[in-house]
Every structure is written in structure tokens, then in C-alpha cells.
């Protein structure tokens, strides 16, 4: 029966034109290499080498066999590496960056997806805001992330949009959500906004600033907070209105502000969620898995692109 050991000895002999040199390269005794070559010739029923002086010369049959033998051994080596990668993957740590309110779109569900496939891994979801996650990507601390694309400088990065989420206006006053909110109305509104630490680069605020550019004003924040849950609670208490992603409104309003309602902006405005990684990077199996699962989670809530 043809064996990998025989093919290894065959290729070394073919390469060096010498049984002795092949044995030295492989760390075998020369008679062992000769035995493997004879066994391969017997299995195939052909002569692979002719003796010439102290060396050997491959026959035409050997020339025909060589590329096939190389492919077989390359495939075996690739299979071995793949198994080792998976073995390391299943017991290692998966780190993946996510935008600030990812907990509302993926969070525990994404981690559950990973652990259901690979119970032995350790999972880290990293990021309070897309800007700091993007910096971790640039510095090589992360392989890949799901970010609000408006905050990502694309130089040196590959940005792949996967979904978009409409921004909606929320208020405890039903009169304010009876019709879509125009740029002029938004410029006059008293708002509570989340992500105050990142207010200059937050994707939602950047979108609103572009919307209000024609009015010559910026959104007027009465209250600044860090997390979106606090902003929604304050809307429910009637202290201010807010603009948040629609997916967040659908999840948080019934629980934190049951009397509040929402309406669209006019023209409609969107946050775009994108997979981001360094351009030219070869992504590990762990990174590819997280991209696949995070994309599925995001697209189940936001509008797929």
C-alpha cells in the first residue's frame, strides 16, 4: 500500500538525485530510504530511478509522479496545520471589538453563539465606543471589529458595511412624535444625548450635525449622559427628548420609558454598522467566526446591506 512515508522518501531522493543525500536530509539510514523506494516501486509496478554512478536519475514515471506526490504531502501538511489551529482556537481566547451599544444588538447572544460552538474558549468583547475600538485595531490589539462606520478613518483599514440602522426621535410628549421631525424642529429641541465622553466623534451625533448643517445650528443638548439606558429613562420622565437607533428604541422604550413614543427624522437618517480590519491582514479562524456571528446578529435587528 502506498504510504506518506514512501512519498516523502521519493521526493527527497528525486530532489537530491541521491539515496544517501535523501537519507541525510530526512535523518534516516540510507538502507531505510532504499527500502521505501523499492516498496513504492513495487506498489506502483514501475521503476522510479536508475542508478548512475553514486547517484540516481529519475525515470519518466518519476517525473509524472512528482507533482502528485507534492500535492499529497502539501495537503497533509495543510490538514495538520488546520487541525492545530482549531485545537488552539477551541481552548484559546477570542477578542473582538464592538461599537458602544452593541449589547443591545448582540452582547450576551453573540457570546452564547460562540460558546455553543466552542465551549472551551474564553471570549472578550471589547469597546465602549467605536473610536477607541478603531484605535485598538490600528495598534494591532484587535484583529477585527464591528463598528459604527462614521467614526472610522478608512486609511489602512478595510471597511465592509453589513447593516444600517435608522435613527429615530423619541419623546414622552405624543404631539412631538405625531409627524416626522425635520432639521428645523430638531434644531429647536431640548435633548438628552448619550456617549458624552465621545460627543465629538459619536456616529449618531455626527449624523445629526450633518443633518442640521443647513440650519446653521448644532443639536441642543440639555442633558449629557454616558449610557443610552439613562438617556431613555430621562426621556420617559419627560425631562428631554432624544435621538437613538431604532433597534435601541424598540428594545428600551417598553422597559424604561413605556409612555414614550418614537418617530422618524425627515429626511431619514441612518447609522451604518461595518466590519473593520486592517487592510491586507490574514484573519484568524477566531476573527472570521466572530465576523460571521456578529454580522448575523446585527442583520437580524438592523437593515442588512
Amino acid at each position: 500500500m502506498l504510504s506518506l512515508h514512501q512519498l516523502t522518501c521519493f521526493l527527497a531522493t528525486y530532489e537530491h538525485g541521491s539515496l544517501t543525500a535523501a537519507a541525510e536530509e530526512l535523518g534516516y539510514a540510507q538502507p531505510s530510504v532504499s527500502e521505501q523506494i523499492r516498496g513504492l516501486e513495487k506498489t506502483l509496478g514501475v521503476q522510479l530511478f536508475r542508478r548512475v554512478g553514486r547517484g540516481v536519475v529519475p525515470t519518466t514515471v518519476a517525473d509524472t509522479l512528482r507533482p502528485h506526490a507534492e500535492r499529497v504531502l502539501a495537503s497533509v501538511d495543510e490538514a495538520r496545520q488546520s487541525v492545530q489551529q482549531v485545537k488552539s482556537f477551541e481552548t484559546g481566547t477570542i477578542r473582538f471589538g464592538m461599537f458602544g451599544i452593541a449589547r443591545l444588538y448582540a452582547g450576551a447572544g453573540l457570546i452564547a453563539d460562540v460558546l455553543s460552538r466552542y465551549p472551551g474558549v474564553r471570549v472578550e468583547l471589547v469597546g465602549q465606543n467605536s473610536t477607541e475600538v478603531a484605535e485598538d485595531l490600528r495598534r494591532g490589539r484587535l484583529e477585527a471589529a464591528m463598528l459604527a462606520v462614521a467614526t472610522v478613518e478608512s486609511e489602512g483599514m478595510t471597511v465592509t458595511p453589513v447593516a444600517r440602522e435608522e435613527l429615530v426621535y423619541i419623546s414622552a410628549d405624543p404631539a412631538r412624535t405625531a409627524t416626522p421631525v425635520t432639521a428645523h424642529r430638531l434644531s429647536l429641541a431640548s435633548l438628552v444625548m448619550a456617549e458624552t465622553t465621545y460627543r465629538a466623534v459619536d456616529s449618531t451625533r455626527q449624523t445629526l450635525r450633518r443633518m442640521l448643517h443647513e440650519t446653521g445650528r448644532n443639536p441642543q443638548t440639555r442633558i449629557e449622559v454616558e449610557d443610552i439606558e439613562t438617556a431613555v429613562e430621562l426621556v420617559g420622565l419627560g425631562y428631554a427628548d432624544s435621538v437613538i437607533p431604532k433597534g435601541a428604541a424598540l428594545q428600551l422604550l417598553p422597559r424604561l420609558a413605556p409612555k414614550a413614543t418614537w418617530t422618524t427624522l425627515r429626511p431619514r437618517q441612518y447609522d451604518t454598522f461595518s466590519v473593520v480590519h486592517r487592510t491586507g491582514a490574514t484573519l484568524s479562524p477566531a476573527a472570521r467566526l466572530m465576523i460571521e456571528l456578529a454580522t448575523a446578529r446585527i442583520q437580524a435587528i438592523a437593515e442588512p446591506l
Side-chain angles (χ1 to χ4, degrees):
M1 181 181 294
L2 186 150
S3 71
L4 297 176
H5 189 34
Q6 289 173 340
L7 292 179
T8 300
C9 292
F10 163 72
L11 286 177
T13 303
Y14 188 101
E15 177 71 23
H16 292 285
S18 165
L19 292 166
T20 302
E24 290 177 355
E25 179 191 301
L26 298 173
Y28 301 152
Q30 191 268 347
S32 176
V33 174
S34 297
E35 182 181 352
Q36 293 301 318
I37 296 298
R38 285 196 301 272
L40 180 58
E41 289 178 327
K42 183 177 180 180
T43 297
L44 297 176
V46 296
Q47 182 181 3
L48 295 172
F49 298 99
R50 294 190 304 272
R51 289 188 174 275
V52 177
R54 294 186 176 183
V56 293
V57 175
T59 65
T60 303
V61 177
D63 293 334
T64 302
L65 176 61
R66 180 186 60 81
H68 297 287
E70 288 176 339
R71 283 196 293 270
V72 168
L73 294 180
S75 295
V76 170
D77 187 57
E78 183 179 345
R80 185 182 297 111
Q81 291 181 22
S82 296
V83 169
Q84 290 303 315
Q85 276 189 329
V86 171
K87 182 180 178 182
S88 174
F89 174 25
E90 290 180 341
T91 58
T93 296
I94 298 176
R95 299 185 78 240
F96 189 71
M98 292 291 280
F99 58 93
I101 59 169
R103 61 189 179 277
L104 302 178
Y105 293 81
L110 175 57
I111 294 174
D113 291 341
V114 176
L115 295 181
S116 66
R117 294 195 189 189
Y118 301 99
V121 302
R122 179 174 177 271
V123 183
E124 294 182 10
L125 281 186
V126 180
Q128 294 295 324
N129 183 272
S130 288
T131 53
E132 64 179 22
V133 178
E135 184 62 25
D136 281 343
L137 283 170
R138 291 189 193 92
R139 293 179 178 272
R141 297 169 185 159
L142 292 169
E143 278 192 90
M146 181 76 71
L147 302 181
V149 72
T151 64
V152 179
E153 296 177 8
S154 59
E155 183 178 354
M157 296 286 178
T158 296
V159 180
T160 306
V162 296
R164 69 174 187 172
E165 182 72 302
E166 185 173 4
L167 298 177
V168 297
Y169 187 94
I170 62 173
S171 177
D173 183 348
R176 298 177 191 165
T177 57
T179 58
V181 174
T182 63
H184 177 70
R185 279 182 57 194
L186 183 62
S187 71
L188 301 176
S190 179
L191 301 176
V192 52
M193 295 296 292
E195 303 282 353
T196 186
T197 295
Y198 304 97
R199 69 182 75 180
V201 292
D202 174 59
S203 61
T204 295
R205 298 192 197 217
Q206 287 183 336
T207 300
L208 296 184
R209 284 195 286 268
R210 286 195 297 269
M211 180 182 176
L212 296 186
H213 180 71
E214 64 186 47
T215 71
R217 302 184 62 179
N218 282 325
Q220 300 300 303
T221 55
R222 180 185 181 191
I223 307 169
E224 292 280 347
V225 296
E226 290 291 359
D227 62 279
I228 194 171
E229 288 87 351
T230 299
V232 170
E233 285 188 275
L234 289 167
V235 170
L237 294 172
Y239 288 109
D241 297 342
S242 191
V243 176
I244 63 175
K246 183 179 177 181
L250 294 177
Q251 293 186 57
L252 296 180
L253 262 59
R255 176 162 55 92
L256 301 178
K259 295 183 180 179
T261 54
W262 62 270
T263 188
T264 61
L265 300 174
R266 181 181 292 165
R268 293 175 183 268
Q269 303 293 321
Y270 298 88
D271 264 350
T272 301
F273 303 140
S274 298
V275 171
V276 184
H277 59 79
R278 291 187 305 282
T279 300
T282 300
L283 298 177
S284 69
R288 293 197 299 270
L289 172 70
M290 294 302 288
I291 288 171
E292 172 196 339
L293 296 179
T295 298
R297 282 276 169 180
I298 295 297
Q299 291 183 338
I301 298 175
E303 178 186 343
L305 292 176

